[in-house]
Amino acid sequence: MSGEPAALGTPELPTFIRQGTFRRLAKMPTVWIATVILFTALFFSFFGALLAPFDPNFTDLNMVNMAPFASDFLLGGDRAGRDIFSRLLVATSNTIGGAAIAVSISVAIGASIGLMAGYYGRVFDALGAWLSNLIQALPGIIVLIAVYVVAGPSTVTSMIVVGILIAPVYFRLMRNVVISVRNELYVDAARVSGLSDIRIMSRHIFVVVRAPIIIEMAYIAGIALVIQATLEFIGLGSPENPTWGGMLQDSFNALYISPFAILWPALSIILTVLAFVFLSNAVRDTLGDPRSSGGKARKAIVSTPDSRATADAGSTHAFLTVRDLSVAYPLSKNESRTVVNKVNLEVNRGEVLGLVGESGSGKTQTAFAILGLLPPEAIVDSGRIVLGSTPLLGLTEKKLNALRGSEIAYVPQEPMSNLDPAFTVGQQFGYAMRKKLGLSKAQSRERALSLLARVNINDPERVYDYYPHQLSGGMAQRVLIAIAVSCDPELLIADEPTTALDVTVQAEVLDLLRGLQQERSMALILVTHNFGVVADICDRVAVMKDGEIVETGDTRKIVKHPEHPYTQLLLSSVLDNVPMRAPLEPQAEVRA
Amino acid sequence: MSREATPLLQVKDLAVEYRSSGWRRPANRVLHNVSLDIHEGETLGLVGESGSGKTTLGRSILGLVPVASGQIIYDGRDITRARRRARRALAKEIQVVFQDPYSSLNPSLLVSDILSEPLRAAGIGGAESRRRVRELLDRVGMPADASERYPVEFSGGQRQRIAIARALALEPRLIICDEPVSALDLSTQARVLDLLIDIQERTGVTLLVISHDLSVIRAVCHRVAVMFKGEIVEQGSTSSVINHPTQMYTKKLLLAAPVTDPDEQRERREARRLLAETEAVA
């Protein structure tokens, strides 16, 4: 498994995520500002009417178009002589309330239909999609004007209609999330446990979808506010109740006489909408990528005092020598976790070394260290890796790239995810060969075809033009092996190359690896957890546990006479050595 | 082995199709007339490679995929197309342990909630449910304080124990184990299989073990059925199928699985090469 670094610190994960999210959100200044603005708006929407110094409809003809900060009317008077400040405060409740209506209606309709469509599929899905498409096809502003004509000026009615018009956003969001959750095994398990559909939806599905819905709500609230302001501005609001959009229209009409009056409603609208949008984005970013603001990406730290010392590299005759290699991952500022600890390895040309261990033993990390493919946050504490006479640790990416392919090559565990779905087999072959071997297009095609034939692919001409999705798992792995050996590497590192394959295909792929390795007298490092694979192909084997090599030696000796207790434990767990289950005795059938 | 009693589960001529995408394209038939009997108290192994239809067979017994034709008879009742209500009642009879202990447990629920869920659905709540949860954890060898923790806090083997505990909650008569150990480390595999055998010996529960790994089947199954391309090609007692396979595919499957002794493995490889040659000639 290659998931070792990801497994770091998993024990605290659930609490870690929750506290971490809030803590990281609290660190962002935009979140603070947005929250303060929204709480102020919320406060005024409840208490604005009480705090307003004047009645919003109180008119004083002396105050018509009064400038701000010049009289009792703090922000000045509008063109009917009403206090702008008081109207702004009272309007908060209408404006925010209207947005709340639109959001609640769209969530209630969109999310519930989306939930049903995603969960039941078929008729519900078709019907839901049809309805959603219909609503989206309607020209919103015309619908709203029609409603205004029929139902008269009412903020509530128009906001309900806006809610319906926005509902498809939630429908799509909900449907897609539910479909992805519905296929989780735990939903199947709940169904087999006899849970009713409603219980499954409320317990297992709603838990997952609530976060995206809440995030979307903030965003939608911002949009609803803009739509509402637009409606009021073009005169579709109710004249009795002050709203920010209505005030905007009022002051727009008096723009030349009293230019400042338009500032206050416009500022209120802009600030509130921006606060909604920024908050929504911040929460989305934080939830979507747990490390997004966790600090700057670290470069791989290679602190090897003797990494460039080549002097005594010649003292060993092995082709690849690994000495005292240690790899660690930082957990926090002062702590780190060592995943590879003082590992020593040697591989000769023409030799197959098995690197055996369970998940988390550090075998993949060791292989990645040799390949120079460790993630950037990895710290190589100490050690030396020498290939031929070249020390690999501390090499620049450019120099490493020069070695990859022609000196070291890699065969991964998951063949499918290691082929780019956008390119044909031939395209994935050609680039490296043209670059490394300096072949022409025709030459590289010829070589690729002969390699495909060598890895036992029937009809190489056709497979050359296939896209990865047209290959079976076994074929994909053969293609990757062919690509790996295409530039004649001296060392091949195969990380669980057969784990994802069926046993019959596994046997064929192992035959192929053995054949290629012998023909070319390559050094091969095979990372695996399967002793059967080791017995089949490896000359020597190194057993890893918790980042350390506990035993190494000739395969026959290790398998037949293991010395270390851990090797003994592993070999005794191999199910081939477990006695076969005896046939069922008829008497044993009695059931209490 | 001849047995007078009727089997606990009978699968008769079962066919399952998946609808192909695209208009009027023929459906993709993944099971062809599959017939199986599972007797009370036994473990039947279902072995086959990916795409052989073994998982689909398990899911159709659980009612998770629709059946195109044929019958599934449980304890004398036809459950082939059981309605939701009848299916919910079957929860007390047939249970499941899935392959992947990471996605089969809801990460946002406490272990106690996961285990009490089937109990609540069956109308058992409160103190009785808490007592049963403790008992279940004990039975699968997990500490009692595991109930107040989340699935993510446990290793793969421990999660699979929790999944087994959930399957045992309603004391079912049949448990379908779909690749129960293939996601686990070697040293954990043997222990989880021991747990399954131990539970069977204590409760007499019937097991259907689905696996691609013959060594798993060999260790836990009394009988085995070999699947290939949606059909059962061979079935019989574990020892007869493994020691004296009659079908070409079974032979191939047996020889392809590597053993840990390098010398024995060399012989196997040779035998496999000979078999491939005879097949090519035939």
Side-chain angles (χ1 to χ4, degrees):
Chain A
M1 298 288 285
S2 56
E4 280 125 47
L8 297 177
T10 33
E12 301 86 6
L13 208 60
T15 42
F16 167 79
I17 286 176
R18 274 170 219 168
Q19 296 174 350
T21 309
F22 282 117
R23 211 179 298 142
R24 264 178 286 139
L25 279 174
K27 275 185 195 160
M28 298 185 208
T30 43
V31 172
W32 271 109
I33 297 168
T35 314
V36 168
I37 292 174
L38 291 181
F39 268 103
T40 314
L42 205 63
F43 177 79
F44 284 130
S45 67
F46 281 109
F47 303 109
L50 298 176
L51 295 174
F54 297 95
D55 185 278
N57 291 325
F58 166 76
T59 52
D60 182 343
L61 290 179
N62 294 326
M63 297 294 186
V64 170
N65 294 329
M66 177 58 96
F69 311 119
S71 64
D72 282 353
F73 287 7
L74 188 61
L75 301 178
D78 68 3
R79 62 187 181 131
R82 296 171 296 193
D83 178 21
I84 292 182
F85 182 60
S86 300
R87 283 180 69 78
L88 211 54
L89 287 187
V90 176
T92 314
S93 128
N94 292 328
T95 312
I96 299 284
I101 291 173
V103 170
S104 340
I105 292 283
S106 63
V107 171
I109 296 177
S112 56
I113 298 181
L115 183 64
M116 304 265 276
Y119 188 78
Y120 291 110
R122 293 174 185 234
V123 182
F124 280 100
D125 197 11
L127 214 69
W130 184 82
L131 238 145
S132 149
N133 291 343
L134 182 77
I135 292 175
Q136 283 189 307
L138 288 175
I141 225 65
I142 295 179
V143 173
L144 286 165
I145 292 170
V147 169
Y148 181 82
V149 171
V150 176
S154 152
T155 314
V156 176
T157 319
S158 65
M159 280 298 108
I160 290 176
V161 176
V162 167
I164 296 171
L165 290 174
I166 300 178
V169 174
Y170 281 106
F171 169 78
R172 292 194 180 280
L173 175 77
M174 193 74 172
R175 176 184 168 276
N176 294 345
V177 179
V178 170
I179 283 178
S180 69
V181 180
R182 188 184 58 176
N183 295 327
E184 290 283 348
L185 280 179
Y186 61 76
V187 173
D188 280 341
R191 217 173 284 170
V192 174
S193 293
L195 264 68
S196 64
D197 288 340
I198 295 201
R199 207 166 215 164
I200 293 176
M201 281 194 239
S202 65
R203 246 176 112 78
H204 290 280
I205 294 181
F206 192 68
V207 172
V208 180
V209 298
R210 65 183 172 189
I213 286 195
I214 291 170
I215 294 170
E216 202 65 22
M217 266 165 89
Y219 187 66
I220 294 288
I223 293 180
L225 223 142
V226 171
I227 296 179
Q228 191 195 5
T230 312
L231 289 178
E232 308 279 357
F233 185 71
I234 60 173
L236 297 184
S238 91
E240 296 106 67
N241 300 318
T243 60
W244 291 348
M247 292 175 68
L248 203 61
Q249 186 216 9
D250 251 9
S251 47
F252 186 73
N253 290 339
L255 188 62
Y256 293 108
I257 309 162
S258 141
F260 282 107
I262 202 165
L263 201 60
W264 316 117
L267 266 181
S268 308
I269 293 169
I270 290 170
L271 282 179
T272 317
V273 170
L274 280 182
F276 273 126
V277 172
F278 274 110
L279 190 66
S280 158
N281 281 348
V283 176
R284 180 191 324 227
D285 290 349
T286 315
L287 286 182
D289 179 10
R291 282 179 213 162
S292 61
S293 60
K296 289 175 197 106
R298 275 169 288 244
K299 276 288 296 166
I301 305 161
V302 183
S303 59
T304 47
D306 53 351
S307 66
R308 274 153 217 278
T310 48
D312 62 342
S315 64
T316 55
H317 296 290
F319 179 54
L320 175 81
T321 315
V322 177
R323 283 278 166 269
D324 290 330
L325 177 73
S326 294
V327 178
Y329 284 90
L331 289 178
S332 64
K333 269 184 190 134
N334 316 318
E335 285 173 289
S336 65
R337 193 181 122 145
T338 305
V339 294
V340 176
N341 195 6
K342 303 251 176 254
V343 160
N344 291 304
L345 282 178
E346 280 171 15
V347 198
N348 291 307
R349 280 176 211 268
E351 185 185 44
V352 184
L353 173 74
L355 202 52
V356 187
E358 298 193 295
S359 55
S361 63
K363 53 191 196 302
T364 298
Q365 292 299 308
T366 306
F368 275 19
I370 299 170
L371 287 159
L373 289 179
L374 289 172
E377 64 268 26
I379 307 164
V380 179
D381 273 338
S382 70
R384 213 167 63 227
I385 302 174
V386 183
L387 181 79
S389 59
T390 320
L392 296 183
L393 281 183
L395 278 192
T396 59
E397 193 62 22
K398 201 174 164 190
K399 285 186 177 157
L400 262 178
N401 260 337
L403 291 176
R404 288 182 190 136
S406 49
E407 294 284 326
I408 319 179
Y410 171 62
V411 177
Q413 172 173 4
E414 291 284 344
M416 277 311 182
S417 52
N418 281 282
L419 286 168
D420 190 328
F423 296 96
T424 65
V425 168
Q427 286 165 329
Q428 314 208 20
F429 244 114
Y431 184 69
M433 280 198 290
R434 288 203 297 279
K435 199 159 178 243
K436 295 265 172 190
L437 305 177
L439 299 181
S440 71
K441 217 165 186 173
Q443 281 170 320
S444 78
R445 179 186 156 87
E446 197 175 314
R447 189 176 163 85
L449 289 177
S450 77
L451 280 165
L452 286 175
R454 173 60 193 91
V455 298
N456 302 332
I457 280 180
N458 304 326
D459 205 353
E461 301 262 350
R462 210 166 70 200
V463 173
Y464 187 84
D465 292 322
Y466 273 180
Y467 283 93
H469 74 267
Q470 292 168 289
L471 305 171
S472 69
M475 271 162 92
Q477 192 60 293
R478 281 166 212 273
V479 167
L480 277 168
I481 291 173
I483 294 177
V485 300
S486 66
C487 298
D488 296 321
E490 312 263 1
L491 169 69
L492 189 62
I493 297 180
D495 185 5
E496 303 265 11
T498 57
T499 305
L501 306 176
D502 280 325
V503 274
T504 48
V505 183
Q506 164 173 290
E508 289 160 14
V509 168
L510 288 176
D511 283 348
L512 175 65
L513 278 174
R514 185 186 310 100
L516 284 169
Q517 181 265 332
Q518 285 171 355
E519 272 166 31
R520 298 160 174 250
S521 124
M522 278 188 297
L524 172 61
I525 297 180
L526 193 95
V527 178
T528 183
H529 68 279
N530 187 333
F531 270 103
V533 171
V534 168
D536 189 79
I537 190 169
C538 297
D539 302 312
R540 282 195 308 120
V541 53
V543 182
M544 282 194 84
K545 177 182 189 272
D546 300 334
E548 293 178 26
I549 291 188
V550 296
E551 188 166 5
T552 171
D554 178 64
T555 302
R556 198 166 275 105
K557 185 201 146 269
I558 297 258
V559 166
K560 291 190 175 172
H561 310 287
E563 273 167 18
H564 195 276
Y566 180 69
T567 318
Q568 290 166 355
L569 171 81
L570 275 186
L571 280 161
S572 70
S573 316
V574 172
L575 294 169
D576 298 335
N577 306 332
V578 173
M580 187 186 289
R581 185 108 191 243
L584 186 63
E585 296 291 325
Q587 303 92 296
E589 270 181 66
V590 183
R591 190 179 141 94
Chain B
M1 209 182 307
S2 67
R3 208 173 276 124
E4 301 298 319
T6 52
L8 181 65
L9 184 87
Q10 283 177 286
V11 175
K12 290 181 178 171
D13 294 328
L14 190 74
V16 171
E17 294 174 345
Y18 288 120
R19 286 191 304 174
S20 308
S21 53
W23 190 59
R24 294 187 83 171
R25 285 257 293 278
N28 184 15
R29 187 163 275 224
V30 291
L31 288 184
H32 309 272
N33 303 332
V34 168
S35 296
L36 269 188
D37 287 350
I38 308 177
H39 295 273
E40 183 114 46
E42 79 168 346
T43 305
L44 176 70
L46 201 55
V47 69
E49 296 190 296
S50 53
S52 62
K54 55 188 194 307
T55 294
T56 303
L57 178 53
R59 291 177 68 86
S60 62
I61 296 170
L62 291 166
L64 295 174
V65 294
V67 169
S69 69
Q71 269 186 313
I72 301 170
I73 295 166
Y74 173 81
D75 201 17
R77 277 175 290 160
D78 187 339
I79 59 162
T80 320
R81 288 177 187 81
R83 303 243 161 231
R84 276 172 202 276
R85 189 176 293 273
R87 193 42 82 176
R88 287 218 296 276
L90 276 173
K92 292 195 186 81
E93 305 282 334
I94 308 178
Q95 274 301 327
V96 66
V97 176
F98 287 112
Q99 166 179 15
D100 183 356
Y102 295 88
S103 67
S104 70
L105 303 175
N106 189 337
S108 52
L109 293 182
L110 286 169
V111 169
S112 58
D113 293 328
I114 291 170
L115 293 182
S116 61
E117 194 160 63
L119 296 170
R120 283 219 318 208
I124 303 165
E128 171 66 7
S129 151
R130 280 195 293 280
R131 190 184 63 74
R132 293 270 282 270
V133 167
R134 271 201 307 278
E135 212 175 86
L136 285 167
L137 285 171
D138 184 53
R139 195 186 287 178
V140 296
M142 294 284 288
D145 65 356
S147 65
E148 294 313 307
R149 290 156 75 182
Y150 288 94
V152 74
E153 299 177 52
F154 298 98
S155 70
Q158 290 173 316
R159 290 191 209 194
Q160 201 60 311
R161 283 170 192 270
I162 295 167
I164 291 172
R166 173 176 58 191
L168 290 172
L170 296 175
E171 296 172 1
R173 288 166 73 191
L174 172 64
I175 301 180
I176 295 176
C177 306
D178 188 356
E179 300 274 12
V181 297
S182 68
L184 307 181
D185 268 329
L186 195 56
S187 54
T188 329
Q189 286 193 353
R191 272 180 271 152
V192 169
L193 292 181
D194 280 344
L195 175 67
L196 284 175
I197 293 177
D198 178 59
I199 285 167
Q200 182 169 50
E201 280 168 358
R202 277 201 278 170
T203 63
V205 67
T206 310
L207 298 177
L208 173 62
V209 175
I210 298 171
S211 179
H212 70 284
D213 188 344
L214 270 163
S215 59
V216 169
I217 298 285
R218 193 177 155 276
V220 294
C221 298
H222 302 110
R223 285 195 308 124
V224 55
V226 182
M227 286 198 79
F228 181 57
K229 291 188 175 168
E231 286 175 67
I232 290 180
V233 292
E234 182 163 5
Q235 59 178 316
S237 75
T238 306
S239 66
S240 74
V241 170
I242 287 188
N243 296 329
H244 311 288
T246 59
Q247 297 300 309
M248 192 62 163
Y249 177 71
T250 317
K251 288 180 192 168
K252 240 201 253 178
L253 199 62
L254 281 162
L255 288 175
V259 289
T260 54
D261 184 321
D263 302 311
E264 210 182 313
Q265 175 59 20
R266 182 185 292 271
E267 285 166 29
R268 273 198 177 209
R269 215 154 59 207
E270 199 52 33
R272 183 162 54 81
R273 201 177 54 77
L274 285 175
L275 188 74
E277 276 171 18
T278 47
E279 195 189 24
V281 170

